[in-house]
Amino acid sequence: MNVPRLIKVWPDWAELNGMNRAQSYAAADKLPPGVRVKIGHRLRLNADRLAEYLQAGGDLGNRPE
């Protein structure tokens, strides 16, 4: 069984990208399902799927609101 590596939106991903808390959650909401992982009320990011998304040309700036 392959367990995904999950990262916290705040503060881990936010600090790596120079975002504050609100900016990081707003950006995470624009990511496709599979990259975003909800566990109860918590939001995490699947690090492997996030890397695949970005390598495939995913760009938060080009996604519709």
Side-chain angles (χ1 to χ4, degrees):
M1 181 165 98
N2 188 9
V3 179
R5 189 170 44 107
L6 302 178
I7 55 176
K8 294 179 183 178
V9 174
W10 175 260
D12 300 337
W13 187 62
E15 288 179 354
L16 288 172
N17 292 288
M19 293 185 267
N20 66 32
R21 184 182 184 115
Q23 291 169 326
S24 65
Y25 280 103
D29 284 341
K30 296 177 185 176
L31 294 171
V35 174
R36 290 186 327 248
V37 179
K38 288 283 283 184
I39 303 172
H41 294 286
R42 299 178 194 274
L43 179 63
R44 299 290 189 260
L45 300 177
N46 180 323
D48 297 326
R49 292 235 174 126
L50 177 60
E52 290 170 6
Y53 171 73
L54 294 174
Q55 288 174 354
D59 183 1
L60 296 177
N62 292 331
R63 292 186 52 83
E65 292 288 326

